[in-house]
Amino acid sequence: MANLNIKLVKSLNGRHDKHIATAASLGLRKIGDTTVQPDNAQTKGKIAQIGYLLQVTEQQ
């Protein structure tokens, strides 16, 4: 199964509480944090919610 590299590129300051919680559930707390997550429906749903804050690339 493929993995996704997810990087937080915009600040969480002033964002909705649910968006901050979603970022935290991905393991992202501050700008520049990166995490590797599995490419599944749950992760894609989180990315869809806060995609405007993220940079997502597929890991080979």
Side-chain angles (χ1 to χ4, degrees):
M1 181 177 270
N3 288 326
L4 299 172
N5 282 333
I6 303 171
K7 181 177 182 179
L8 186 64
V9 294
K10 291 189 177 181
S11 174
L12 294 173
N13 287 341
R15 306 296 179 187
H16 294 286
D17 289 339
K18 285 187 177 182
H19 293 193
I20 295 169
T22 301
S25 73
L26 288 169
L28 304 170
R29 295 180 347 152
K30 56 186 179 179
I31 296 174
D33 281 355
T34 59
T35 184
V36 177
Q37 299 288 328
D39 186 4
N40 58 27
Q42 183 180 15
T43 303
K44 288 196 177 202
K46 292 176 184 181
I47 291 169
Q49 187 179 29
I50 61 167
Y52 67 99
L53 300 172
L54 305 174
Q55 178 183 22
V56 181
T57 56
E58 189 171 333
Q59 186 180 24
Q60 302 296 334

